[in-house]
């Protein structure tokens, strides 16, 4: 079976492209970061990716784990990004298999009712993991979908160390488990090394050099590794590849595996 990971980017008006990409892809499970659920009908279409992606018939099971609800992004008291209405941002799981259990577990701040980015570079906002148990041909599979703490230079800090410790505490050891997502961390950071000690880091194993296309938008830059897939010993890995695509400011990562 196959699992695809992709941060679809809140800053891009790319829902059609993402939907077309997933429609043509053969993944059984899709883990998405920066999905937007338009709560109000007035929301601009680009902030309704979750609303659209759950319509894909090939994925009858889906779950959304929101971080916040807001009408837009504010900075120093001014609106810098207007959603057109109230919308939530979070992680999204699409699956051909039944999502048997699902939790949205916060580890850095709590669910917020605004998005004030005034101190984003120093403090980020709020973060959780999407923790799901899937029923796959009579077996259980754990998928943890991560959109990690943003930190300057992606070099990690005490918060991201705690993030890794939290993730490790949630991994089931009795069933196959996959941890996947945009960690906002470079491979050489201690936060990633913590995960390496207990899980197989497939980005490292397959010597992946970049999970992002080349760009520099003043906040983030590309041509580096910050997206990962980790597995425990109960997952048999057949292959991993990073797909060259301009569908987002992150590259899709496809894992072929068995349980």
């Amino acid at each position: 079976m196959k699992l695809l990971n992709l941060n679809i980017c809140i800053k891009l008006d790319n829902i059609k492209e993402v939907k077309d990409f997933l429609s043509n892809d053969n993944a059984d499970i899709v883990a998405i970061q920066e999905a937007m659920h338009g709560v109000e009908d007035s929301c601009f279409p680009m902030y309704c990716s979750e609303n659209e992606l759950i319509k894909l018939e090939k994925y009858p099971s889906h779950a959304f784990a929101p971080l916040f609800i807001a009408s837009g992004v504010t900075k120093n008291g001014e609106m810098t990004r207007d959603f057109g209405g109230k919308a939530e941002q979070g992680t999204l799981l699409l699956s051909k298999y039944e999502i048997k259990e699902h939790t949205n577990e916060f580890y850095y701040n709590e669910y917020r009712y605004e998005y004030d980015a005034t101190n984003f570079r120093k403090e980020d906002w709020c973060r959780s993991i999407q923790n799901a148990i899937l029923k796959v041909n009579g077996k259980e599979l754990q998928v943890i979908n991560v959109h990690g703490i943003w930190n300057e230079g992606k070099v990690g800090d005490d918060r991201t160390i705690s993030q890794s410790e939290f993730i490790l505490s949630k991994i089931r050891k009795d069933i196959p488990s996959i941890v996947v997502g945009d960690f906002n961390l470079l491979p050489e950071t201690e936060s990633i090394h913590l995960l390496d000690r207990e899980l197989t880091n497939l980005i490292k194993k397959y010597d992946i050099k970049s999970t992002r296309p080349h760009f520099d938008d003043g906040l983030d830059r590309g041509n580096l590794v910050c997206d990962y897939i980790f597995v425990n010993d109960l997952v048999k890995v057949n292959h991993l590849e990073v797909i060259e695509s301009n569908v987002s400011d992150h590259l899709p990562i496809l894992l072929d595996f068995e349980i």
Side-chain angles (χ1 to χ4, degrees):
M1 74 189 74
K2 295 182 179 181
L3 178 147
L4 182 95
N5 179 74
L6 179 62
N7 181 324
I8 60 175
C9 185
I10 184 179
K11 295 176 283 190
L12 296 178
D13 188 2
N14 62 346
I15 295 177
K16 182 182 184 303
E17 289 79 5
V18 171
K19 201 170 181 179
D20 288 346
F21 178 86
L22 295 182
S23 295
N24 294 323
D25 187 77
N26 60 352
D28 302 289
I29 304 163
V30 181
I32 291 173
Q33 300 86 50
E34 294 197 26
M36 294 289 294
H37 169 69
V39 176
E40 297 181 332
D41 293 340
S42 59
C43 287
F44 301 138
M46 69 177 290
Y47 302 114
C48 297
S49 56
E50 186 269 355
N51 309 63
E52 290 300 313
L53 294 178
I54 63 173
K55 295 177 183 178
L56 290 169
E57 294 182 0
K58 64 189 292 187
Y59 298 115
S61 193
H62 50 81
F64 182 58
L67 294 171
F68 64 83
I69 185 170
S71 297
V73 180
T74 60
K75 189 172 183 179
N76 296 315
E78 295 184 3
M79 180 81 76
T80 59
R81 184 181 296 273
D82 185 2
F83 298 155
K86 290 190 180 297
E88 294 179 305
Q89 179 185 312
T91 48
L92 173 64
L93 200 63
L94 305 172
S95 176
K96 293 180 179 179
Y97 304 103
E98 176 191 354
I99 299 176
K100 183 180 176 183
E101 300 174 23
H102 173 260
T103 53
N104 185 20
E105 304 181 33
F106 281 79
Y107 60 88
Y108 182 68
N109 296 325
E110 299 177 345
Y111 182 88
R112 298 293 182 92
Y113 294 87
E114 60 176 344
Y115 188 0
D116 183 354
T118 304
N119 297 314
F120 179 82
R121 285 184 178 272
K122 289 184 177 180
E123 300 177 6
D124 194 9
W125 194 230
C126 47
R127 300 288 173 175
S128 69
I129 62 166
Q130 183 177 33
N131 191 355
I133 304 296
L134 280 60
K135 188 175 182 180
V136 181
N137 301 326
K139 300 179 180 180
E140 289 186 334
L141 169 67
Q142 181 184 34
V143 177
I144 295 179
N145 189 2
V146 178
H147 190 194
I149 293 171
W150 192 91
N151 57 103
E152 195 79 48
K154 303 190 185 304
V155 296
D157 53 29
D158 290 343
R159 300 171 303 162
T160 63
I161 293 287
S162 296
Q163 172 182 278
S164 294
E165 292 171 344
F166 181 83
I167 291 168
L168 288 170
S169 74
K170 297 297 179 177
I171 296 171
R172 293 272 299 270
K173 296 182 179 180
D174 58 329
I175 62 174
S177 297
I178 300 173
V179 182
V180 58
D182 171 11
F183 284 70
N184 277 313
L185 291 165
L186 297 174
E188 61 270 21
T189 58
E190 178 59 24
S191 302
I192 292 298
H193 291 333
L194 273 174
L195 297 169
D196 288 347
R197 291 169 195 151
E198 296 194 32
L199 301 167
T200 299
N201 180 344
L202 297 180
I203 296 298
K204 180 180 179 180
K205 180 178 179 179
Y206 282 82
D207 195 28
I208 302 300
K209 301 301 184 184
S210 177
T211 63
R212 305 193 76 172
H214 180 73
F215 75 95
D216 188 339
D217 64 8
L219 181 66
D220 274 323
R221 61 184 177 88
N223 199 29
L224 51 73
V225 168
C226 64
D227 306 271
Y228 299 86
I229 298 183
F230 297 89
V231 298
N232 70 1
D233 292 339
L234 299 179
V235 176
K236 179 185 177 183
V237 175
N238 296 325
H239 185 65
L240 179 113
E241 69 172 308
V242 174
I243 301 170
E244 291 297 329
S245 170
N246 60 2
V247 70
S248 178
D249 65 350
H250 290 250
L251 299 173
I253 307 174
L254 186 65
L255 169 66
D256 187 316
F257 71 103
E258 299 173 34
I259 60 173

